[in-house]
């Protein structure tokens, strides 16, 4: 996994709530056998008109969103289906961090598995980011620092964000979680023995 | 001893090790696998030279992208076929049991687990699918995971997880005739919101829950994820034990007696504390219909489409306005009477035998409205066989429904069963997201009885009043 320590990148605003993973990657694109190739399907039905032309009304199609690597969006982002394809698509499109007031649980876990940093800020802080992003008209940059657990714009906005120590460590070091768990193999085997003997807790 | 919740007991019994940074290594008793979220996990194992640690605790089936038409016709979609072949190969190479399209036990993963007796009280069950919460109806801690975690469970039979909080949803009273389990859970989601239970495991308690059949409990737990919950739980009781008795994969003989005794004792201790509590009076719940593009956008069938200004925050107002535009609805419109183009009876929420029986009872002796195309997709091949044994297929066919083979079908439209742009669908599934059933399609979620009535009437109707006025003889909808 690609480590995440600190990222400086252009922000794009998607001020919508309850963005579900069916919107992030519609189901017709879930038939691939690989983890790659999902970038072009990101937000497909919002991004493209039925005839395939880009939809100029969609927030991320506007010129000011081009090249953005930090997505600022509404509450309960990533709700619905567990499809990790949604995270693969966001990452492949170039996003490195998602800033929102809240995330759906499975989506949050999927982000952390892929080095895409989910950043929880207060709703009023996210509203402030929407405002600043709009006012900047296309060149609004954010620094997302996992080590300091802080988001800043260098223009006075600064906010801390929570991240549990386990996930923080995994992300900072880009660790292979399976490899780490396999180090606990003796404990797993011991648990299985106790279970089989009926003496598990 | 400190009184513990049902959740806490199951959690404690599955902690292999507490990691120094906080989360726990949790042991998984049953890992269900399907074709869409597993290929990258198996590929990951191959890449790293790892193997499936416990193939005996891993069960695979095909459901998400399978066609529901004639099983003898080759699959028309080559990409879907490739995904099915990949699962076949992966299952074979890893010695994982697979219920494929040729199997009489194939079906939606959350229908066949319980049906086979694989799902049992006290277990930890995971699957790369958010509706894994369904299995919580048995008092199993069951939740959806992403593909990276699928790979983790395949390789280690464990999952690294932080302990979720608990939410008690206490449902008192008895629902009226024509009010289904689906209405209870939709009403609850309407009350607490689609993120109302994020980070929590819901335990459903109260007399309304105790009175539900196993299949109704599955409908309730299934939609826990639609309230944002990590999982839903219902304590096992006599109903649970009676359901599991004699199921092919349930314990047999002395092991069964021992297990059944243990299961009946598995419940929250008196005085156990939950982090949050919510209450609902089942007697006050009317049949529910969603009007928007999120399951929390729901109203009584007698209700009217809300105005965006009815909502407290700017974000909710924007979401409501957007939903109304997508759904082709205007504020103040009555939900009852809204014409429908399609009806879908299916999904892991509502495609079990009891669902089909209730729907058939509504449909019997009637015809699907001429402008409506209606579809029944049984949740499993076993449900299909049972329904055919009872003659339900004849009732549906004679009424003008299409009678299909099992799969997820139009719940998520990964196969050929999709809505056309602008089509309005009365659906027994679980998500009314934009484009979920087909790009531009407009989904209204409701119970099987309500969907069946909508098929006949050609519009959304209150199955209670409609039943009494329009059906010959007396009709008891609630079983």
């Amino acid at each position: 996994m690609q480590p995440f320590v600190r990222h400086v990148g252009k922000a794009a605003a998607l001020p919508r709530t309850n963005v579900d993973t069916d919107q992030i990657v519609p189901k017709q694109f879930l038939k691939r056998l690989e983890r790659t190739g999902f970038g072009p399907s990101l937000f497909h039905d919002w991004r493209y008109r039925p005839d395939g032309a880009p939809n100029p009304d969609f927030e991320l199609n506007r010129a000011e969103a081009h090249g953005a690597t930090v997505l600022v969006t509404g509450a309960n982002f990533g709700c619905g289906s567990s499809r990790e394809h949604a995270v693969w698509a966001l990452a492949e499109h170039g996003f490195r961090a998602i800033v929102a007031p809240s995330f759906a649980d499975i989506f949050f876990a999927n982000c952390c598995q892929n080095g895409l940093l989910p950043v929880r800020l207060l709703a009023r802080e996210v509203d402030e980011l929407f405002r600043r992003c709009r006012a900047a008209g296309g060149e609004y940059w954010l620094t997302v620092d996992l080590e300091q657990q802080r988001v800043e714009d260098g223009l006075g906005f600064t906010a801390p964000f929570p991240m549990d120590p386990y996930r923080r460590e995994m992300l900072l070091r880009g660790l292979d979680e399976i490899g780490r768990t396999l180090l606990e193999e003796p404990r797993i085997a011991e648990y299985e023995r106790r279970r089989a003997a009926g003496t598990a807790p | 001893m400190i009184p513990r919740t049902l959740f806490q007991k199951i959690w404690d019994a599955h902690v292999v090790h507490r990691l120094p940074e906080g989360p726990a290594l949790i042991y998984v008793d049953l890992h269900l696998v399907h074709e869409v979220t597993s290929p990258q996990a198996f590929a990951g194992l191959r890449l790293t030279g790892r193997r499936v640690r416990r193939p005996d605790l891993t069960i695979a089936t095909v459901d998400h992208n399978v066609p529901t038409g004639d099983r003898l016709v080759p699959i028309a979609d080559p990409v879907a076929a490739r995904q099915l072949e990949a699962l076949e190969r992966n299952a074979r190479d890893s010695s994982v049991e697979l219920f494929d399209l040729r199997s009489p036990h194939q079906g939606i993963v959350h229908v066949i687990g319980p049906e086979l007796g694989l799902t049992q009280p006290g277990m930890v069950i995971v699957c790369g699918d958010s509706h894994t919460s369904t299995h919580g109806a048995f008092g199993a801690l069951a939740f959806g995971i992403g593909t990276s975690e699928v790979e983790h469970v395949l390789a280690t039979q464990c999952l690294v997880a932080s302990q979720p909080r608990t939410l008690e949803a206490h449902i008192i009273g008895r629902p009226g005739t024509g009010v289904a389990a689906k209405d209870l859970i939709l009403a609850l989601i309407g009350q607490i919101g689609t993120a109302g239970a994020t980070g929590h495991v819901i335990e459903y308690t109260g007399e309304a829950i105790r009175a539900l059949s196993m299949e109704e409990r599955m409908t309730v737990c299934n939609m826990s994820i639609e309230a944002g919950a990590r999982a839903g739980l219902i304590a096992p009781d006599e109903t649970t034990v009676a359901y599991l008795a004699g199921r092919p994969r349930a314990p047999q003989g002395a092991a069964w007696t021992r297990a059944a005794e243990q299961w009946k004792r598995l419940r929250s201790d008196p005085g156990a504390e939950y982090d949050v509590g919510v209450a609902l009076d089942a007697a006050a719940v009317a049949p529910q219909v969603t009007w928007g593009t999120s399951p929390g956008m729901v109203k009584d069938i007698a209700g009217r489409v809300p105005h965006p200004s009815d909502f407290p925050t700017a974000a909710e107002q924007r979401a409501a306005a957007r939903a109304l535009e997508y759904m082709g609805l205007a504020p103040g419109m009555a939900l009852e009477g809204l014409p429908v183009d399609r009806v879908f009876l299916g999904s892991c929420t509502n495609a079990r035998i009891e669902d089909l029986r209730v729907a058939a009872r509504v449909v019997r002796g009637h015809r699907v409205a001429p402008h409506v195309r209606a579809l029944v997709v049984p949740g499993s091949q076993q449900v299909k066989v049972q329904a055919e044994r009872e003659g339900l297929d004849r009732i549906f066919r004679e009424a003008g429904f299409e009678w299909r083979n099992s799969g997820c079908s139009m719940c998520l439209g990964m196969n050929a069963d999709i809505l056309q742009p602008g089509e309005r669908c009365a659906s027994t599934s679980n998500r009314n997201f934009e484009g979920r059933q087909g790009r531009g399609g407009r989904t209204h979620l409701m119970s099987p009885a309500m969907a069946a009535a909508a098929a006949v009437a050609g519009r959304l109707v209150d199955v209670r009043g409609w039943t009494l006025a329009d059906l010959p003889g007396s009709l008891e909808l609630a079983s």
Side-chain angles (χ1 to χ4, degrees):
Chain A
M1 182 175 83
Q2 187 184 8
F4 190 109
V5 180
R6 183 170 176 273
H7 174 74
V8 182
K10 189 171 144 178
L14 183 64
R16 304 187 186 199
T17 52
N18 294 318
V19 173
D20 58 77
T21 53
D22 274 86
Q23 305 316 319
I24 301 174
V25 181
K27 71 277 184 170
Q28 63 268 34
F29 304 107
L30 302 184
K31 294 171 191 168
R32 299 182 60 79
L33 304 179
E34 305 80 19
R35 285 170 177 257
T36 52
F38 294 99
S41 1
L42 179 68
F43 293 120
H44 182 274
D45 291 0
W46 286 349
R47 223 162 117 200
Y48 304 103
R49 290 174 165 163
D51 66 3
N55 172 10
D57 297 334
F58 180 51
E59 290 91 330
L60 300 187
N61 280 348
R62 294 181 193 146
E64 60 264 31
H66 287 176
T69 56
V70 179
L71 183 65
V72 183
T73 187
N76 200 26
F77 189 79
C79 61
S81 158
S82 63
R83 58 187 73 163
E84 195 163 316
H85 314 64
V87 170
W88 300 333
L90 285 160
E92 191 171 313
H93 186 76
F95 288 114
R96 292 284 285 126
I98 317 277
V99 179
S102 60
F103 295 89
D105 293 331
I106 304 175
F107 179 83
F108 189 91
N110 287 342
C111 281
C112 294
Q113 293 283 349
N114 289 276
L116 176 65
L117 187 70
V119 177
R120 274 180 297 214
L121 296 186
L122 301 175
R124 62 176 162 77
E125 292 166 342
V126 173
D127 283 341
E128 177 62 18
L129 289 180
F130 286 149
R131 205 186 58 74
R132 287 178 178 236
C133 204
R134 199 167 47 238
E139 285 304 323
Y140 186 61
W141 290 64
L142 287 172
T143 300
V144 182
D145 191 327
L146 178 58
E147 212 154 34
Q148 304 296 321
Q149 290 181 231
R150 186 161 284 281
V151 178
E152 290 176 341
D153 70 354
L155 302 164
F157 180 93
T158 174
F161 64 88
M163 180 59 72
D164 72 73
Y166 173 81
R167 290 214 162 102
R168 180 173 176 274
E169 183 69 8
M170 297 293 296
L171 283 158
L172 284 173
R173 297 170 58 190
L175 292 179
D176 167 19
E177 189 178 51
I178 298 175
R180 189 192 156 117
T181 299
L182 285 172
L183 297 177
E184 308 288 354
E185 167 60 32
R187 293 184 206 267
I188 301 171
E190 169 60 18
Y191 178 88
E192 287 175 328
R193 268 193 299 278
R194 279 188 289 136
R195 281 286 292 257
T199 56
Chain B
M1 278 230 309
I2 302 166
R4 291 186 300 166
T5 60
L6 169 59
F7 159 76
Q8 193 68 55
K9 291 180 185 184
I10 301 173
W11 180 270
D12 291 348
H14 288 83
V15 172
V16 171
H17 176 52
R18 274 177 233 284
L19 300 174
E21 302 94 332
L25 201 56
I26 293 295
Y27 197 78
V28 174
D29 300 301
L30 175 63
H31 185 192
L32 301 168
V33 171
H34 66 83
E35 76 277 18
V36 174
T37 59
S38 68
Q40 295 86 354
F42 282 104
L45 292 186
R46 275 195 296 277
L47 200 68
T48 47
R50 291 168 181 151
R51 59 181 184 85
V52 177
R53 181 186 169 85
R54 293 295 300 267
D56 56 322
L57 304 182
T58 312
I59 297 282
T61 191
V62 292
D63 55 4
H64 277 63
N65 79 27
V66 301
T68 56
D70 189 344
R71 291 260 146 114
L72 299 174
V73 176
I75 295 171
D77 177 352
V79 196
R82 204 163 68 101
Q83 214 168 39
L84 297 175
E85 285 158 19
L87 183 57
E88 239 170 76
R89 196 172 52 247
N90 289 330
R92 191 177 54 240
D93 292 353
S94 300
S95 306
V96 166
E97 185 175 16
L98 168 68
F99 296 102
D100 65 11
L101 285 177
R102 293 176 294 272
S103 166
H105 292 290
Q106 179 270 341
I108 305 176
V109 64
H110 311 308
V111 176
I112 70 168
E115 184 176 88
L116 288 163
L118 287 161
T119 302
Q120 293 165 21
M123 282 182 163
V124 168
I125 300 175
V126 300
C127 173
D129 188 275
S130 60
H131 291 109
T132 307
S133 58
T134 312
H135 307 265
F138 291 78
L141 179 60
F143 49 92
I145 55 178
T147 297
S148 293
E149 290 181 329
V150 168
E151 185 178 338
H152 191 281
V153 176
L154 287 173
T156 69
Q157 203 55 32
C158 293
L159 202 58
V160 181
S162 295
Q163 184 170 329
R165 293 182 293 272
T166 52
L167 184 154
E168 182 186 23
H170 190 66
I171 308 185
I172 57 159
R174 286 296 187 89
T177 301
V179 176
K182 182 67 158 286
D183 300 310
L184 297 182
I185 188 63
L186 281 172
L188 185 75
I189 296 166
Q191 182 181 322
I192 70 174
T194 47
T198 301
H200 292 73
V201 169
I202 303 176
E203 184 180 345
Y204 300 94
T205 62
E207 60 169 311
I209 295 298
R210 295 265 71 91
L212 297 177
S213 71
M214 279 321 294
E215 298 196 356
E216 292 171 319
R217 293 178 189 186
M218 285 187 244
T219 299
V220 170
C221 286
N222 172 275
M223 289 193 72
S224 302
I225 180 72
E226 261 50 74
R230 203 73 191 87
L233 272 179
I234 293 174
D237 58 12
E238 293 290 351
T239 305
T240 321
V241 172
Y243 177 96
L244 286 171
R247 302 264 164 192
R249 302 299 171 92
Q252 312 289 334
W256 165 260
T257 314
R258 211 164 43 243
E261 281 312 308
Q262 271 174 16
W263 294 342
K264 280 187 270 184
R265 287 196 300 272
L266 185 64
R267 67 180 79 131
S268 292
D269 294 325
E273 286 185 20
Y274 301 84
D275 295 301
V276 185
V278 295
L280 180 72
D281 180 3
V285 173
Q288 301 287 299
V289 175
T290 60
W291 55 267
T293 53
S294 164
M297 293 173 166
V298 66
K299 285 262 187 195
D300 291 2
I301 178 66
R304 289 182 177 276
V305 174
H307 197 284
S309 66
D310 297 346
F311 294 88
T313 69
E316 286 171 279
Q317 290 171 7
R318 274 198 308 271
R322 205 189 139 74
L324 291 185
E325 190 191 339
Y326 180 87
M327 293 296 290
L329 298 174
M333 283 173 80
L335 286 166
E336 192 163 5
L338 210 56
V340 299
D341 308 294
R342 304 286 294 264
V343 171
F344 174 60
L345 287 171
S347 86
C348 58
T349 312
N350 278 129
R352 297 181 179 82
I353 190 67
E354 290 175 12
D355 299 315
L356 302 192
R357 284 179 191 147
V358 167
R361 216 172 286 154
V362 172
V363 163
R364 184 165 47 210
H366 292 269
R367 292 281 308 165
V368 169
H371 67 278
V372 171
R373 193 173 160 202
L375 195 64
V376 187
V377 183
S380 71
Q381 292 305 87
Q382 288 296 300
V383 169
K384 181 170 186 258
V385 165
Q386 176 66 24
E388 288 171 352
R389 202 174 289 144
E390 297 177 19
L392 305 183
D393 62 319
R394 246 191 357 266
I395 295 173
F396 285 119
R397 281 186 217 264
E398 283 170 7
F401 278 85
E402 294 172 42
W403 179 251
R404 298 291 190 83
N405 282 299
S406 68
C408 298
S409 177
M410 205 196 273
C411 173
L412 85 164
M414 269 195 80
N415 66 359
D417 307 331
I418 56 169
L419 297 180
Q420 296 305 307
E423 278 190 328
R424 195 177 294 286
C425 179
S427 179
T428 66
S429 56
N430 41 55
R431 287 186 176 137
N432 50 344
F433 297 157
E434 281 182 36
R436 171 83 176 179
Q437 295 192 293
R439 187 172 186 169
R442 294 162 172 168
T443 303
H444 295 275
L445 304 177
M446 62 196 73
S447 73
M450 286 284 287
V456 173
R459 56 197 161 83
L460 301 186
V461 289
D462 185 338
V463 71
R464 298 169 304 176
W466 189 80
T467 300
L468 298 173
D470 302 332
L471 282 182
S474 70
L475 189 96
E476 279 293 308
L477 284 174
S479 89

